[in-house]
Amino acid sequence: MNPLAGCLLVSSLLFSVGLAGALTRRSAILVLAGIELMLNAANLNFIAFWRFGPHPEFLTGFVFVIFSIAVAAAEAAVGLALIVAIYRHAQTSDVSEITEMKG
Amino acid sequence: MRMTLPFLILAILTLAGGVAAMTLRRLVHCALALSVAFAGLAALYLNLDAEFAGLAQLLVYVGAIAILIVFAILLTRGGDSDAEKSFSPAGIGGAVIALAVFAVLAWATETSGIAHPALVTPPPESAMREIGLALMQRYVLPLEVIALMLTAAMIGAVILAVRERRNPAGTESAERPGLGA
């Protein structure tokens, strides 16, 4: 197994762990943490393909990771602010108890 | 060219951090394990010759997002006692879905033919000068958009999280229906 396949395997494992956490945890903060893990797995893929790809001098995957980190920072800030606002409104951060919009 | 020992150690550290972050009961322990996973990913980036991305990951994730998550845990702790019910009742289904996704991804990696040829590539030159030139010339428009988006996200987060002004007439309790009760 070469390093690129190793990176892809690690990143798919990390994605699955994040997905499992986002689907199974009840705390909204940990759901957000699972989403962050999935984003990081995608970033690891970008770095791996940039490093072992045919044209690393174009820096495409690298710059994409930089922008992705910035977007993830904004997403985490807004998401945590939403969680705090929902907690203030509903007095809980348990996603299975927030059923106001349940049809 | 095979996988090196540092890569294996960092991968195991990252995955252990991720698994611990998603399975531990207490939220603060989860946040600490999550920062371990982020730091392991930063070390993986450094191992893959992406110094700038690794240091940005360390600054943004370990330095900012982990701290932000800890603050959110502290701010939302009041009513919740971290009891037995930290997993949702549909937990088995979620785990099965995640396993299926991993199976598909691993199968795609294995059958894509990427794993078999021995890639021997020299480490690319990711000098800071090249990165700066790329950001200022080719990617200058995305950079400006990112700056605008970060400003908007900051203002939005402040507006969302600011405490609403209480009405003097005491109607606030009426505006707060107790959810889940």
Side-chain angles (χ1 to χ4, degrees):
Chain A
M1 188 186 284
N2 58 18
L4 176 57
C7 282
L8 295 186
L9 200 63
V10 168
S11 117
S12 50
L13 267 173
L14 200 64
F15 186 89
S16 308
V17 168
L19 182 64
L23 287 179
T24 58
R25 293 309 293 253
R26 298 179 71 155
S27 161
I29 295 171
L30 282 178
V31 173
L32 196 69
I35 293 171
E36 292 288 334
L37 277 184
M38 290 195 273
L39 265 169
N40 273 298
N43 284 352
L44 181 59
N45 263 6
F46 277 119
I47 289 285
F49 277 113
W50 165 75
R51 170 67 178 79
F52 300 109
H55 293 293
E57 67 272 12
F58 287 149
L59 290 171
T60 312
F62 190 89
V63 175
F64 205 107
V65 167
I66 300 295
F67 288 142
S68 163
I69 287 176
V71 172
E75 173 248 334
V78 175
L80 289 173
L82 270 175
I83 290 173
V84 169
I86 288 174
Y87 177 78
R88 212 172 269 146
H89 183 72
Q91 297 299 320
T92 181
S93 63
D94 187 338
V95 287
S96 55
E97 285 183 23
I98 303 169
T99 54
E100 255 188 346
M101 290 176 70
K102 190 171 183 179
Chain B
M1 188 174 171
R2 288 171 50 246
M3 285 190 295
T4 56
L5 185 62
F7 177 81
L8 279 179
I9 293 173
L10 291 174
I12 290 171
L13 180 77
T14 305
L15 287 173
V19 170
M22 289 297 117
T23 53
L24 288 179
R25 299 255 175 216
R26 298 182 70 96
L27 287 181
V28 177
H29 295 174
C30 294
L32 291 178
L34 193 70
S35 55
V36 168
F38 288 156
L41 266 166
L44 272 179
Y45 293 169
L46 292 179
N47 187 29
L48 289 170
D49 299 310
E51 288 90 3
F52 185 69
L55 294 179
Q57 165 94 4
L58 205 61
L59 272 176
V60 173
Y61 276 98
V62 186
I65 291 184
I67 302 297
L68 210 58
I69 286 177
V70 169
F71 268 102
I73 289 172
L74 294 182
L75 280 176
T76 60
R77 249 191 127 148
D80 295 0
S81 62
D82 32 15
E84 303 294 310
K85 45 167 198 170
S86 59
F87 291 93
S88 77
I92 304 292
V96 167
I97 290 174
L99 263 180
V101 167
F102 171 69
V104 169
L105 288 176
W107 170 78
T109 304
E110 191 56 36
T111 55
S112 65
I114 261 177
H116 297 305
L119 293 173
V120 184
T121 48
E125 295 194 7
S126 70
M128 284 307 298
R129 179 180 163 79
E130 306 301 321
I131 297 166
L133 284 177
L135 281 179
M136 277 297 123
Q137 288 172 351
R138 192 167 169 204
Y139 300 103
V140 66
L141 189 62
L143 189 74
E144 298 298 328
V145 172
I146 284 285
L148 190 65
M149 192 208 64
L150 278 176
T151 312
M154 188 177 69
I155 295 171
V158 168
I159 288 175
L160 277 176
V162 77
R163 186 177 290 276
E164 66 252 44
R165 187 165 294 136
R166 291 167 187 259
N167 289 331
T171 56
E172 192 200 22
S173 58
E175 290 172 358
R176 278 188 177 177
L179 296 182

